[in-house]
Amino acid sequence: MEFPVSPLKGVGSIEFGMTPGEVRARIGSTPKSFKRTPQAVFPCDYFEAEGVFCYYDAEGRLEAAEFAPPASPTLNSLDLLGLALDEATAILSRLDPEIEREVDGAIAHGLGISIYASLAKDDPSAPVESVIAFRSGYYD
């Protein structure tokens, strides 16, 4: 399933600030819900068949969505999953010059996109394994 990222606003028909019920209706399947940490106030949703995790704030409003295969998170029609981390980072850097680079990923705060590649510690051309689209303030 393709999920076009609208920077800091949402992905596809899913908008940040939606309730779990609204998100579930838009995705069209039943998720597994769980708390990622004991301190989490609100559980997240995992849509396994779609490869999507949805994270909610303490009020139960969507603040981020994380994508792994088979999902297809796109930015300007470019699928970010599977791109080499160094290539994906270069693309994001052109759109957000203040990107925060990490050895195994990058965070483009101005775009509301984070990418991660666990194998990049040894190989910067390792493929991006997950993409997070988030609303403003998510990493604060």
Side-chain angles (χ1 to χ4, degrees), residues 34-86:
F34 63 96
K35 290 189 176 184
R36 288 189 74 166
T37 67
Q39 299 79 19
V41 176
F42 208 87
C44 64
D45 284 340
Y46 174 48
F47 298 89
E48 185 174 10
E50 291 79 8
V52 180
F53 288 88
C54 291
Y55 305 120
Y56 304 96
D57 64 17
E59 286 77 44
R61 299 295 181 163
L62 183 68
E63 63 179 351
E66 182 173 5
F67 304 93
S72 180
T74 61
L75 180 64
N76 300 334
S77 299
L78 178 66
D79 190 348
L80 298 170
L81 282 176
L83 285 179
L85 178 64
D86 51 0

Side-chain angles (χ1 to χ4, degrees), residues 5-11 16 74-76 80 88-99 107-115 131-136 139:
V5 176
S6 296
L8 302 172
K9 294 181 181 173
V11 289
F16 298 128
T74 61
L75 180 64
N76 300 334
L80 298 170
T89 301
I91 291 166
L92 294 177
S93 293
R94 286 193 292 276
L95 300 170
D96 181 1
E98 296 182 29
I99 193 168
I107 304 170
H109 294 276
L111 296 172
I113 297 173
S114 176
I115 55 176
V131 174
I132 298 178
F134 55 89
R135 71 178 183 193
S136 182
Y139 279 103

